[in-house]
Amino acid sequence: MCSLHVTAILLAAGKGERLGGSVPKQFYELAGKQLFRHSLDVLEASDAVDSIVLVLPAPSSEWQGRPLSKVRAAVTGGSTRQSSVAHGVAALPEAARVVLVHDAARPLLTGALIEALLAGLSPECAGTIPGIPLEDAIKKASKEGFVEADLDRGQVWRVQTPQVFFRGPLEDSLRQAVQAGRDSADCSHMLTQAGYRIRIVQGDPTNLKVTRPADLRLAALIFEARAQETEEDG
Ligand code: CTP
Ligand code: MG
């Protein structure tokens, strides 16, 4: 399926308000480089990715790195995640047929996860997303915190990025969302709202999103553990 041109949109235009600090979280140093650089380097190194569009806050003064061969454009993001996705989509190279959308806030991306998502694409679906099965009991509760029902955890998933879509459905669902005045922080939600089928593939539980300060410490530990594993294997 993926002899098709794959373009990755790397979203790094958020404010990182829940993490706080003097710079948005994607520019924090973690395990030797800025958070967004981790995903950027994985995308750059992946044989499955043909080109990259970077979405950055304005002005994109943080983007002063060495030239990367796959980066086709660095564009300014919008006020919401969905509008940042739209800015990235508007800058896609003409050849792009498959689009991988990834949050720079998930620095633990791996090439293996990218390949699993692309391998899951088929004409039966408009895209693939990584899902993590839940191991705890799942309850539905009222706003006041009282249990209302037990949910079947076999039917629910935690969903991450990267998310992979065929270009046409992604563009169409963005148009529909804008027309209907909907704004979604999850691209796959935008596609399912527009009536497209999305397939869940097994995600990577260590591909965590840095949202709050404790996540930064946890991400650093996972990087350490991965480095140790590589050493042991080598
Ligand atoms: N993002 C973006 N443009 C926005 C909002 C978010 O490109 N207007 C990106 C972020 O940079 C991040 C990803 O979308 O990589 C996921 O968003 P989130 O974790 O919510 O990051 P922030 O919006 O930056 O954080 P917060 O919500 O705490 O302000
Ligand atoms: Mg946010």
Side-chain angles (χ1 to χ4, degrees), residues 82 85 101 125-129 163-174 176-177 182 184 186-198:
Q82 183 181 294
V85 172
V101 182
C125 61
T128 53
I129 58 176
Q163 301 189 347
V164 169
F165 309 105
F166 289 112
R167 180 178 184 158
L170 176 61
E171 287 179 333
D172 179 48
S173 66
L174 263 170
Q176 290 196 37
R182 290 192 303 260
S184 176
D186 169 20
C187 293
S188 64
H189 176 65
M190 201 173 67
L191 273 94
T192 50
Q193 287 274 89
Y196 291 105
R197 263 178 115 193
I198 299 295

Side-chain angles (χ1 to χ4, degrees), residues 29-143:
E29 286 284 322
L30 175 72
K33 52 187 163 188
Q34 286 177 305
L35 220 72
F36 83 103
R37 280 284 188 168
H38 286 281
S39 321
L40 189 54
D41 288 350
V42 172
L43 294 168
E44 182 70 29
S46 168
D47 288 339
V49 174
D50 298 294
S51 56
I52 301 169
V53 171
L54 256 176
V55 186
L56 294 164
S60 52
S61 56
E62 294 284 349
W63 175 237
Q64 299 157 339
R66 63 194 149 82
L68 289 157
S69 61
K70 289 183 190 168
V71 177
R72 294 297 157 81
V75 298
T76 299
S79 58
T80 66
R81 185 184 182 279
Q82 183 181 294
S83 64
S84 289
V85 172
H87 291 196
V89 166
L92 285 173
E94 207 181 311
R97 288 292 160 270
V98 171
V99 184
L100 175 149
V101 182
H102 185 58
D103 291 338
R106 290 188 191 270
L108 287 143
L109 172 67
T110 63
L113 183 56
I114 295 173
E115 276 160 31
L117 289 160
L118 291 170
L121 275 185
S122 77
E124 285 181 308
C125 61
T128 53
I129 58 176
I132 311 293
L134 291 155
E135 275 144 23
D136 299 311
I138 306 297
K139 311 275 178 186
K140 181 173 179 291
S142 65
K143 281 201 184 80

Side-chain angles (χ1 to χ4, degrees), residues 140-148:
K140 181 173 179 291
S142 65
K143 281 201 184 80
E144 297 75 34
F146 294 105
V147 172
E148 288 181 340

